[in-house]
């Protein structure tokens, strides 16, 4: 007996799909799962000949589940993917997972049956009359069920997907995509208004016109009435001849509504080239208004959250700088480490988000020293064993300071782990290799370089050739070799500077590792970048 698993969170749609498959009048055992959690259990408990699954369920994306199972080397049967929200990204992801049958809702029952027969290799065995009573009934019910499913999916995305967006840009991008699906548009944009310049600036765009300007004067668009609150909705149908909705953006039809912040118009959501040539229905306008209200709340929350986060970050950075200012030898150390770390991150090809993370992490990496007594922190001589252990506590102290700040979760990892070693002999957690967050490995090297190339109370700054020698010596033991490579290249290109009066390695300075071998009591030299 053939076994087919139907994964769909809407009961009515799930039942109809099951009934359509059963219309083949052969023995088929149909299992049903209403969530990814249930589907995962079903796939582990028994084998199936085929899966028919919706793309978006209440607890996530079926494509993500399929990808996870494939990575776990779990053999899956052929899959038919159905969805009312199939973007190019979804289609590409599905194809990368070897899903050959993709159906866009709504679809005719015969189309689904054709896919099932093709997957199960039944086309030459079973002939299902398309004029059957059950098919006629399903043909009437399916569009209604799919439309209901589509609306529920839009609401789910609006109240679950959008709030998960981490920043203003991603919230706007998510809102635009939902709005396009909501009215069956082919493109659109969301632009925010700069009142002092009377300019609209696009923060999200969907479509093919990649060469249009990202900003324009308000009066170069027809949307001044929306911004000035004299209108709440503008719609231009294909047969109407009017000005374009954006300079050099071709569209034969568009609709636009204002975007609000705390009830005040502060932008425009414009949707272009709807598939329908009829005016937008009242129901769709109502759905758009719900989206705009949700967007208002999210933008407001993120604006406040971002302001608080910026204020807190500035306070913490000021605390670090005041800490460093007490010792003229470490003044501006964290700023230099941050700048060096950013330089290395760019050379390593990291994206802007991770570069900003490393910049902030570099600035805050030594914040834990606020918990180290001045008698240790500012001591002019070498540390005793006890003092050395106290100094080694500063990464964990810094982590503790930041632990309740949800805007600095990843920066905390830099603060905590910037003294770990590639060989696992660092502190505080003695993790090694790729267990150490990559960002922390970058800051670790930058921290060491700044310590070696600047004057300290217990020694003069070292020349760059000494610094390069130390990096090469400790590559693969203390430091990540990948980071060392870009650091050495930066030294060769003259992008790193030293406070040393001479860059001559013959000045009689013994390398750190050599001196450690002669005098194990010199704890300061075991920590060249404390």
């Amino acid at each position: 007996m053939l076994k087919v698993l139907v994964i769909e969170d809407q009961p009515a749609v799930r039942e109809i799909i099951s009934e359509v498959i059963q219309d083949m009048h052969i023995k088929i055992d149909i299992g049903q799962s209403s969530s990814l959690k249930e589907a995962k259990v079903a796939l582990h408990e028994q084998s199936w000949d085929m899966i028919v699954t919706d793309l978006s369920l209440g607890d996530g994306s079926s494509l993500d589940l399929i990808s996870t199972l494939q990575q776990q080397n779990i053999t899956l049967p052929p899959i038919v993917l159905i969805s009312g929200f199939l973007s190019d990204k979804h289609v590409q992801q599905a194809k990368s997972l070897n899903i050959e049958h993709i159906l866009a809702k709504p679809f005719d029952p015969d189309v689904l049956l054709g896919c099932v027969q093709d997957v199960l290799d039944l086309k030459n065995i079973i002939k299902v009359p398309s004029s059957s009573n059950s098919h006629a009934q399903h043909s009437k019910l399916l569009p209604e069920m799919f439309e209901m499913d589509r609306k529920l999916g839009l609401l789910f995305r609006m109240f679950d997907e959008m709030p998960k967006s981490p920043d203003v840009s991603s919230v706007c991008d998510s809102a635009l995509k939902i709005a396009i699906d909501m009215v069956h548009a082919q493109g659109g944009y969301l632009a925010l208004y700069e009142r002092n310049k009377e300019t609209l600036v696009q923060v999200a765009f969907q479509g093919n016109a990649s060469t249009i300007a990202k900003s324009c004067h308000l009066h170069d668009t027809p949307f001044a009435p929306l911004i000035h609150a004299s209108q709440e909705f503008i719609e231009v149908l294909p047969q109407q001849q009017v000005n374009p909705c954006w300079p050099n953006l071709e569209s034969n039809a568009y609709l636009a509504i204002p975007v609000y912040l705390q009830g005040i118009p502060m932008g425009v959501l414009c949707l272009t080239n709807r598939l329908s040539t009829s005016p937008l229905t009242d129901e769709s306008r109502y759905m758009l208004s719900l989206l705009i209200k949700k967007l208002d709340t999210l933008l407001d929350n993120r604006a406040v959250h971002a302001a608080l986060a910026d204020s807190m970050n500035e306070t913490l950075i000021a605390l670090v700088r005041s800490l460093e200012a007490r010792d003229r030898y470490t003044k501006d150390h964290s700023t230099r480490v941050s700048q060096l770390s950013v330089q290395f991150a760019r050379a390593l090809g990291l994206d802007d988000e991770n570069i900003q993370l490393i910049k902030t992490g570099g600035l805050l990496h030594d914040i834990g020293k606020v918990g180290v007594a001045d008698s240790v922190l500012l001591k002019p001589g070498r540390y005793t064993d006890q003092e050395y252990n106290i100094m080694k506590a500063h990464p964990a102290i810094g982590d503790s300071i930041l632990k309740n700040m949800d805007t600095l979760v990843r920066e905390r990892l830099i603060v905590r782990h910037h003294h770990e070693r590639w060989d696992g002999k660092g502190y505080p957690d003695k993790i090694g290799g790729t267990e150490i967050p990559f960002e922390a490995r970058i800051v670790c090297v930058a921290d060491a370089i700044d310590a070696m190339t600047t004057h300290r109370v217990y020694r003069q700054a070292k020349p760059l050739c000494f610094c390069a020698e130390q990096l090469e010596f400790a590559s693969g033991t203390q430091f990540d070799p990948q980071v060392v490579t870009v650091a050495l290249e930066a030294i060769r290109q003259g992008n790193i500077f030293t406070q040393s009066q001479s860059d001559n390695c013959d000045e009689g300075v013994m390398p750190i590792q050599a001196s450690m071998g002669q005098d194990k009591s010199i704890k300061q030299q075991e920590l060249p970048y404390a």
Side-chain angles (χ1 to χ4, degrees):
M1 180 183 294
L2 296 172
K3 293 182 179 181
V4 177
L5 179 61
V6 178
I7 308 170
E8 167 64 62
D9 55 355
Q10 299 304 321
V13 177
R14 193 168 62 244
E15 288 295 335
I16 289 179
I17 290 174
S18 300
E19 290 177 10
V20 168
I21 296 173
Q22 287 172 335
D23 277 348
M24 290 189 298
H25 302 299
I26 64 171
K27 289 184 178 181
I28 296 183
D29 181 13
I30 298 181
Q32 297 186 10
S33 296
S34 62
S35 66
L36 296 181
K37 183 178 180 181
E38 289 182 8
K40 191 173 183 180
V41 172
L43 290 167
H44 278 288
E45 286 183 345
Q46 59 180 301
S47 59
W48 302 88
D49 296 292
M50 186 179 74
I51 297 172
V52 178
T53 180
D54 193 9
L55 170 63
S56 301
L57 290 94
D59 55 347
S61 166
S62 60
L63 292 179
D64 292 338
L65 172 63
I66 293 165
S67 176
T68 299
L69 294 175
Q70 288 184 355
Q71 290 172 10
Q72 295 172 353
N73 295 320
I74 295 174
T75 302
L76 296 174
I79 297 167
V80 175
L81 178 70
I82 58 177
S83 176
F85 305 105
L86 280 171
S87 66
D88 291 340
K89 181 180 178 181
H90 291 143
V91 173
Q92 290 172 5
Q93 185 182 5
K95 289 182 178 179
S96 72
L97 298 171
N98 297 318
I99 297 174
E100 296 182 0
H101 295 83
I102 304 172
L103 296 182
K105 297 178 182 177
F107 52 79
D108 188 89
D110 285 333
V111 177
L112 175 59
L113 273 181
C115 284
V116 173
Q117 291 176 1
D118 186 42
V119 169
L120 299 177
D121 197 22
L122 300 172
K123 282 195 171 183
N124 296 324
I125 301 174
I126 299 169
K127 298 296 181 182
V128 181
S130 60
S131 58
S132 65
N133 290 334
S134 59
H135 273 212
Q137 184 180 10
H138 294 147
S139 294
K140 292 179 181 179
L141 284 175
L142 270 177
E144 296 177 8
M145 293 298 100
F146 285 152
E147 182 60 20
M148 184 185 301
D149 181 48
R150 191 181 81 86
K151 291 173 183 174
L152 289 171
L154 288 168
L155 289 171
F156 174 78
R157 292 169 66 190
M158 198 185 306
F159 291 96
D160 184 81
E161 178 184 306
M162 274 176 59
K164 292 178 180 176
S165 303
D167 51 43
V168 169
S169 177
S170 55
V171 167
C172 291
D173 189 60
S174 179
L176 175 60
K177 291 175 181 176
I178 293 171
I180 287 173
D181 289 337
M182 193 176 286
V183 303
H184 301 290
Q186 298 182 58
Y189 62 84
L190 196 155
L192 300 181
Y193 183 53
E194 291 187 8
R195 293 190 183 277
N196 59 330
K197 298 181 181 179
E198 294 190 326
T199 299
L200 285 170
V201 180
Q202 288 186 7
V203 293
F205 180 86
Q206 293 288 316
N208 298 320
S210 58
T211 58
I212 65 169
K214 296 301 180 184
S215 65
C216 71
H217 196 278
L218 175 62
H219 295 295
D220 291 332
T221 74
F223 302 137
L226 300 180
I227 294 296
H228 299 319
S230 59
Q231 283 183 240
E232 294 183 351
F233 182 78
I234 292 176
E235 182 172 26
V236 174
L237 299 175
Q239 61 270 24
Q240 297 173 316
Q241 298 294 323
V242 294
N243 295 327
C245 63
W246 192 271
N248 300 319
L249 178 61
E250 294 184 6
S251 60
N252 60 9
Y254 60 84
L255 63 89
I257 53 176
V259 174
Y260 297 93
L261 182 61
Q262 296 182 344
I264 299 173
M266 49 79 70
V268 173
L269 173 64
C270 179
L271 307 171
T272 58
N273 301 329
R274 287 174 54 233
L275 297 179
S276 173
T277 58
S278 301
L280 194 67
T281 64
D282 290 341
E283 183 179 17
S284 293
R285 287 184 63 170
Y286 175 71
M287 291 284 284
L288 276 178
S289 71
L290 287 179
L291 176 67
I292 292 300
K293 288 177 181 177
K294 186 63 179 176
L295 183 59
D296 184 349
T297 302
L298 292 175
L299 291 178
D300 191 18
N301 288 342
R302 276 160 179 73
V304 172
H305 194 62
L308 290 173
D310 288 346
S311 177
M312 181 58 69
N313 289 353
E314 289 175 6
T315 300
L316 292 172
I317 292 168
L319 177 63
V320 171
R321 286 172 176 160
S322 66
L323 182 71
E324 293 175 347
R326 293 182 298 170
D327 181 356
R328 67 187 179 92
Y329 292 102
T330 59
K331 186 176 184 294
D332 297 328
H333 164 68
S334 292
T335 299
R336 293 191 299 271
V337 169
S338 175
Q339 292 169 345
L340 262 183
S341 299
V342 166
Q343 181 180 334
F344 297 161
R346 288 202 175 102
L348 288 162
L350 272 65
D351 58 27
D352 290 342
E353 180 181 352
N354 281 298
I355 288 173
Q356 182 59 45
L357 164 70
I358 286 170
K359 178 180 179 180
T360 304
L363 288 169
L364 297 176
H365 78 281
D366 272 346
I367 193 170
K369 288 183 179 178
V370 72
V372 177
D374 283 358
S375 59
V376 175
L377 190 64
L378 304 179
K379 183 179 178 180
R382 303 197 180 278
Y383 295 145
T384 65
D385 286 346
Q386 183 180 11
E387 291 167 340
Y388 180 54
N389 288 330
I390 291 172
M391 178 62 80
K392 285 168 63 178
H394 80 269
I397 295 172
D399 178 42
S400 181
I401 291 171
L402 302 181
K403 70 179 180 181
N404 293 319
M405 300 177 189
D406 59 0
T407 60
L408 295 172
V409 173
R410 294 175 66 195
E411 287 82 354
R412 276 182 60 197
L413 297 176
I414 295 176
V415 171
R416 183 173 184 87
H417 297 302
H418 73 278
H419 276 298
E420 303 288 0
R421 290 172 52 111
W422 186 255
D423 59 11
K425 297 179 181 179
Y427 58 88
D429 298 320
K430 297 187 180 301
I431 59 175
T434 56
E435 287 184 278
I436 307 168
F438 190 38
E439 297 83 4
R441 286 180 259 152
I442 292 172
V443 172
C444 172
V445 173
D447 193 18
I449 290 172
D450 187 73
M452 286 188 279
T453 56
T454 55
H455 297 306
R456 293 300 170 97
V457 67
Y458 50 87
R459 59 149 176 81
Q460 293 293 303
K462 304 297 183 183
L464 288 175
C465 59
F466 174 88
C467 179
E469 175 192 300
Q470 298 302 296
L471 292 174
E472 289 176 337
F473 185 92
S475 178
T477 54
Q478 187 171 0
F479 305 124
D480 179 347
Q482 184 181 3
V483 182
V484 169
T485 297
V486 300
L488 291 173
E489 182 62 25
I491 291 175
R492 279 191 285 269
Q493 292 181 357
N495 296 329
I496 295 177
F497 305 96
T498 177
Q499 293 179 356
S500 171
Q501 293 295 318
S502 169
D503 199 26
N504 183 359
C505 280
D506 297 328
E507 60 180 26
V509 179
M510 185 181 295
I512 291 175
Q513 283 78 9
S515 64
M516 286 170 57
Q518 291 192 8
D519 187 353
K520 296 294 184 181
S521 66
I522 304 179
K523 299 297 180 182
Q524 195 80 33
Q525 291 184 338
E526 294 177 15
L527 190 69
Y529 50 102

